[in-house]
Amino acid sequence: MVTFKINGQTVQGEEGQYILQVAQKYGIDIPTLCHHKALEPAGMCRICTVALFDGRRTRYVTACNYPIWEGMEVTTDSEDVHKGRKLIVELLLARCPDVPVLQQLAKKYGIEKPRFKTEDDTCILCGLCTRICEKMGNNAITLTGRGLNMQVDTPFHIQTDACIACGACASVCPTGHITLEKIRTQVTAKEKVEPIPSEYDMGLKGRKPVYVPYAQAVPNTPAIDREVCVHFKTGGCQVCVSACGVNAINHKMEDEIVELEVGSVILAPGFKPFDPSKFDSYNYANHPNVITSMEMERLLSASGPTGGHLVRLSDHKEPKKIAWFQCVGSRDLNRCDNSYCSSVCCMYAIKEAVIAKEHSGADLDCAIFYMDMRTHGKEFERFYNNAKDKHGVRFVRSRVHTIDPQRDSDDLSVRYVDEAGTSIEEKFDMIVLSIGLETSPEVVQMAKKLGVELTEGNFCKTSTFEPVATSRPGIFVCGAFQGPKDIPQSVVDSSAAAAAAGEILAAGRNTRTKQPEKVPEVNVQGERPRIGVFVCRCGINIAGVVDVPSVAEYAATLPYVEYATDNIYSCAQDTQDSMAQIIKQKKLNRVVVAACTPKTHQPLFQETLLSAGLNKYLFEMANIRNHDSWVHKNNPALATSKAKDLVRMAVTKVAMMQPLKEAELEVDQTAMVIGGGVSGMAAARSLALQGYETHIVERADQLGGQAHKIYKTISGDIVKEKLAGLISELEQNSRIHIHLNTELTQVDGFVGSFKSVLSSNGDKQELAYGVAVIATGGAPLQTTEYSYGQDPRILTSLELDQKLMADDPMIAKAESAVFIQCVGSREPERPYCSRVCCTHSIDNALELKKRNPTMSIYVLYRDVRTYGEREYIYREAREKGIIFIRYSLDAKPQVNMVDEKILVTVTDHVLGLPVQIEADLLTLATAIIPNKEEALAQFFKVPLNEDGFFVEKHAKLGPSEFATDGVFLCGLAHYPKPIDEAIVQGRAAASRAVTLLARKKIHTSGEVAEVDPMMCSSCGVCVSVCPYSAPSFIAADARMHAGKAQINAVLCKGCGLCVASCRSGAIHLHGFDNNQIFGQIFAVSS
Amino acid sequence: MVNFANREALQAYRTDLDAEKATGKKLISLCSGSGCGAYGTANVKTLLQDELSKNGLADAYEIRLTGCHGFCEKGPIMVIHPDRIFYCQVKTENVPEIVEKTLKSGELLDKLLFKDPVNKKKKYAKNDEIPFYKLQQRLILGANPLIDPTNIDHYLALGGYKALEKALFDMQPADIIDQVKKSSLRGRGGGGFPTGIKWATCAKHHGDRYVICNADEGDPGAYMDRSMLEGNPHSVIEGMIIAARAIGSKEGYVYVRHEYPLAVANLTIALDRAREMGLLGANILGSGLDFDIRISRGGGAFVCGESTALMASLEGKPGRPRAKYVHTVEKGFREGPSNLNNVETYANVPLIINKGADWYSSIGTKHSKGTKIFSLVGKVANTGLVEVPMGTTLRQIVFDIGGGIRKQKKFKAVQTGGPSGGCIPERFLDLPVDFDELTKVGSIMGSGGMIVMDQDTCMVDLARYFVKFLVDESCGQCNPCREGLKQMLEILDRICQGLGREDDVQLLEELGSMIQKFSLCGLGTSAPNPVLTTILYFRHEYDAHIKEHKCPAGVCKPLFHYEIDADTCTGCTLCFKKCPQEAVSGKKKEPHQIDQEKCIKCGICYDGCKFDAIKIR
């Protein structure tokens, strides 16, 4: 350590450091022009010159490259120094009057106009470009010539291949003399100056060779792209190494092959967006304004290349008209081999159109060109309707063949035929191609290697009753590799795959876990607060704006603060270790970390407290990054003062913090499944296989639910046989307890400890369990439409199944069959799609055709929704001569019974004329309606939506669980779905439930409300206001505090509603008590 | 060629040389330094050889083409030994007469003798009687007239490499450094850094150490180092080997200007001879010391005389200085500890070793010991190389040795230290010349350039000239030097054009002060000296240019004109005849006039007028 003085202040630096480095550490401003942290200092611009007194005389040395030594005295702001710097700036401004960085410096030094003869150069010969070029290992440019003839040039003015167009020179040029454009025009080598396309931004934006793929990437650690990193090309550069404050970069790191012994493998390799370049008639490859939907996603994103400002790429103008073309790379055998439906494109196109209108205003014209609108997901149809009716998105049923670029503008022209048969030519500013999903060749390779069978569309082959199992035992699949699907479905899949793996590995559970050593908690009760404050630099995230050392210095002056310091990265493991050491050494009993957001980092620092033997609630974070350095980038002085305010608030609060206890709960290792349909059975089976006692409660007298009524699946499985197998498996599993003819009449308790009363034919039985799965299912709508009930030949879908199962002679006799789709679905009364009917009707139509190839079969539909690889049967049906006639909601088919004949009249969409069909068999695809389980919803405090389906915790991230802890959801009770998806979700629910069961004990937060019974007036407001039923009255006959309120710490979520409502001031929220909050307020306002 | 396996072999050889010398050929020393060479020494020699042969005297005389005798003003110079008859401005036509009269009859040729420039009647027959030589103390240059630089024997005969013997066999490296320290020898390249301390520091640092000789003499008008390398290269080589022994080096370099072909040639020969004789290379004189010297030729950049730039150039990089915050004695050439001294410094070393530090330090002033060679040029009568003890006054050098100003004109100033030295006015003529005294008056010792200026020198124009030189020679790296000097030149240019502004002098001072403090290397920090000293001592000339739009010295053409003073003009018609523009008119014996429209201010009339009738107005 070298101690010396700067401007009279005693400072310290490491041996070998330069004055500038130490000055910067102490926040002493020294201007620089030719300095770059990653480069050896050259001392060329001389603007960092400082006065140095060596004990005998004063010399002038450049701070950037003068090595420090013990006892020297540096003055950075003497009059001579200031005068000299000013004159240098004036000289440079005379040389380059138009360079902004010099104009700013001139302004700072009060120079209005140089007194010298001016020139019009833009290069100040700082040499940064040549030094970085050398550092890059290229030496393509250098300083040539002498004196006034010195310039940055290539040797002998000749452009050679030495330049690899890395652009490093442009990146360090302080004046803008070197730009990428200039390099682009001069480079002769095959390398071109092109931004490295950001994968995340679909190439619409560049990224650096060292990059984090996207802001929320996990792990959020930058990676070096070897393909483009200059170091791996030349052996030079390594600028990142000098920039890294914690020596984390190692260029010698190699890929490692790690061998793992595992009991199961889950494949989740995802999909690849279809590349529409080969569709030359769409001009995607040639025209900037034809983009893919993935690119559109980025353009609409606030984190995207335009910051969410919607512009077209050719001229960055705001578009007025945008078209989406559906089914690009999907449902297409002519121009690509993807004949399946990609399932997600309709929905995302509508979403993009709505968001585009939200971004650009209502007068943006959005048109979606489609074949069938497939919004078969939960709440999707409503979104579709809103897009049409509320947002004014145009939906055009037409498949456009060609996009014609306009010669005189950047617009695009398309010709199409509308539903009325009129040929229309329309211009758009930009066109979005709704590209489909496909399995990448790499994944196909991987599947081959693993010996996993694929489908026709290169997706992983699974079966209806084992929907996450691949053809190879022990290997499971989830997500889009199993088939094109959206996020909610993928998340359900993933839980199911985890359950499937868990089932076969149940015996090994907890055999390889390690328990962390517990440090005994130090009792700090009654001690005077001894607060430690750790201020984080977060690299340059905070320190780039906030003067971190001065914040730490300030913190040390606050009451009770015993220790304050700053760290480069407080969250780094070594810092954590040293923090724990410091807590112990300094006997700290409260800790404040001033860093980033508690949302991500509080648990980490609390762990540190625990490892130092402190109660983890003796901690407070001040968010001086997100709340300060990020938002006050341009105002460092104020940001520093705000950081001090935030630290002061945190210190005030933490001083009043008390150690809190967390309630520990035993989790009853029993599960209850309500509903014995395939979904419930799947859940129960999985729970049992994973080792938990499971009760399955079924209202009916047998397990199986609606599946009993289904004939077969599209893959040809006879449902009855499979169902029988499943039921017997359940019956034989000793862990599964089946309660038939049983209903739930009461539910008490909470996560881990529920108690219910089961009622079976009047017998009541109490059951205790830790978790519950709701799988109450649904049923077909009983309709009166289309003359249903007037003739035995008019059937519902499931009735047709039964006829098929029974080989009813009526079927053999029939010469013509009509299917009417959307009976009761997608109507104002029931505005959702029942999801399964299109597939089911077409499958049955094919079955009829199989049994009687001469039968005339008509399917009257609104949109055919054979999503995913179900599309194949739609294709097959058309190939086999089944006739599809579309109808619209305002012109529904008419069914008339005339002379014992069923006459179906429908307006043909091609002819535009009514067509009459005599049907020997009329099948109505009636809607699936939920069993509106309002009582159950009440019991478990879980919500139903307006259609009567249960509302999951989160549509995407929690599709198989409820917001209420310990309660899970699957099957038709969630939304209509086919058997495979019902089974998947059953398993998913089980999987989620096991995450709780497996823990055996759970801890609730210590930050809960508590009633001071002495203050309580028993008014009951808290009891009525709590959304979690945490408060209750103490029994009237209790020995202590009878009739007063009490709060169940286990149920309390710490929301504070009761605290705010309590008129007696009797309730306190631990960790956020009134005195703490007021303390913070007074601290900031003082 | 002999190769000395040990000290004794060399001593024996030297004894043989002495015996040979005793065989008694008379020596005729012919200066073949650059000045005399240009006058045609070689032809004189050829002719002389022929004449001697014709007269049967070929065996009686040895004609030796030697290095520079220093009195360049009067070349070609011939000294006939043993009587030390000094003939100057010898032409080929004089040769037969010299043989006939002087050699055969011992008669002095009057016309070839040196005449006192002031008292024209007085003539000198012997070289050591001439004031030019008499007042000098030629410790370093003294051997030049006696040595054929291509013949190592001549150097050995004069006791050459005796110091090396002593250093190798009688002294330890520490003793050598101690002697050099005690001698208080200071670097002759200009910085004046104590050589002994430099050697000691270099020896202290670890790594491959280098001994480097700075022969990149780039100052206009200076040629001390050149004369040493051309005339007595072995003295430099010997100094370098002793340095190598002192600091522990195996490799040496002489960085010499490419524009010094004769120096390079003579040095190359000298190195070859020394190597062949075992005085250089592996195991020198059997002492165990391995050391060799290579020549590196510079491309002619003035800045390469700066130590770090020189080493960069030596490494094959562009010759640009770096900040010397880490000294070259610690990390210099190839990152190794490097000892850089100039030619003259090394040439001093054998003297110190031979005669001892005490003897050496008895010469000179308190803080500057020994002698210093100056290249005395400009408007002085006797231009040439002079070597005087430190502390000799400017007046002694300029007037006593240099013979004063030519044509009886008035002394104005003397500029020391090369282009970035300062101009010293008449009032400081009695200043004893040493490192510290020169600094006190705003100038520097530099490598020993000394340019004398008379009344016809415009100090503003002079400053402009030097700044122009430095602008051209600045490496261009650092802003104060590149941009600052450029703007200084811009300002001086406009002053010389008569377009100077009121605040220009202040601006020059401001720039000068900043450039001195903020520049990266010595070139920059000393560059403003000519401007600042001329402002300091000749401010009135600047004012005359700016305020009165006059150039008092009659140099800046837009600022004066010639007029003929009717009272003084005798109507001799000389100016009329000489004027290339036919601008002068007038009749014989009547005062002439100058047509200002036609006059181009070439100054021919002014220089030519014998009656001082042409006036600068």
Side-chain angles (χ1 to χ4, degrees), chain B residues 291-534:
Chain B
F291 179 70
D292 207 341
I293 297 174
R294 279 190 256 181
I295 298 174
S296 178
R297 278 177 293 177
F302 176 67
V303 74
C304 285
E306 199 279 345
S307 61
T308 55
L310 184 149
M311 288 180 201
S313 177
L314 209 52
E315 287 172 1
K317 294 178 188 154
R320 295 190 189 119
R322 61 159 175 81
K324 261 192 285 194
Y325 302 145
V326 177
H327 298 291
T328 51
V329 284
E330 186 182 342
K331 269 185 182 176
F333 179 58
R334 292 182 191 151
E335 298 278 291
S338 307
N339 181 70
L340 179 81
N341 289 127
N342 124 304
V343 171
E344 192 183 334
T345 313
Y346 283 122
N348 270 294
V349 171
L351 282 179
I352 294 167
I353 298 300
N354 276 332
K355 300 198 176 179
D358 293 339
W359 165 80
Y360 189 85
S361 60
S362 69
I363 305 162
T365 62
K366 189 175 177 199
H367 294 297
S368 303
K369 301 294 184 191
T371 59
K372 175 78 194 90
I373 307 175
F374 292 100
S375 141
L376 186 62
V377 295
K379 301 291 177 71
V380 71
N382 301 330
T383 60
L385 293 181
V386 300
E387 185 183 347
V388 290
M390 292 282 188
T392 308
T393 66
L394 279 171
R395 191 182 299 282
Q396 284 172 310
I397 297 171
V398 174
F399 287 92
D400 300 345
I401 297 172
I405 307 299
R406 290 181 197 184
K407 295 188 181 172
Q408 314 298 319
K409 295 213 176 183
K410 208 170 143 19
F411 172 89
K412 188 182 250 181
V414 58
Q415 203 253 6
T416 69
S420 47
C423 293
I424 302 167
E426 194 176 2
R427 68 179 134 120
F428 294 121
L429 268 178
D430 291 315
L431 188 83
V433 177
D434 71 8
F435 287 105
D436 311 303
E437 294 298 321
L438 285 173
T439 312
K440 279 185 200 162
V441 296
S443 187
I444 52 173
M445 172 76 84
S447 56
M450 199 171 269
I451 303 173
V452 179
M453 285 155 282
D454 68 3
Q455 63 193 65
D456 292 337
T457 309
C458 167
M459 298 313 281
V460 183
D461 179 63
L462 180 94
R464 192 186 63 89
Y465 167 82
F466 283 123
V467 172
K468 172 81 171 67
F469 174 86
L470 291 164
V471 163
D472 290 343
E473 294 297 337
S474 162
C475 82
Q477 271 188 120
C478 81
N479 288 320
C481 180
R482 185 190 64 239
E483 300 297 324
L485 289 179
K486 178 173 79 185
Q487 295 295 356
M488 267 191 151
L489 179 61
E490 181 71 30
I491 295 166
L492 290 166
D493 267 341
R494 73 173 173 244
I495 295 175
C496 290
Q497 305 242 320
L499 302 170
R501 300 171 195 158
E502 275 292 306
D503 57 351
D504 272 352
V505 173
Q506 192 221 321
L507 201 52
L508 285 172
E509 284 176 326
E510 225 178 282
L511 277 170
S513 158
M514 184 276 288
I515 296 169
Q516 279 182 331
K517 289 182 189 129
F518 279 59
S519 292
L520 186 146
C521 79
L523 188 150
T525 51
S526 60
N529 287 346
V531 178
L532 294 178
T533 51
T534 50

Side-chain angles (χ1 to χ4, degrees), chain A residues 209 371 428 487 586 742 825 896 951 1076:
Chain A
M371 300 199 291
F428 289 94
I487 296 174
K586 307 267 170 191
T742 305
S825 299
N896 295 307
V951 179
Q1076 291 177 314

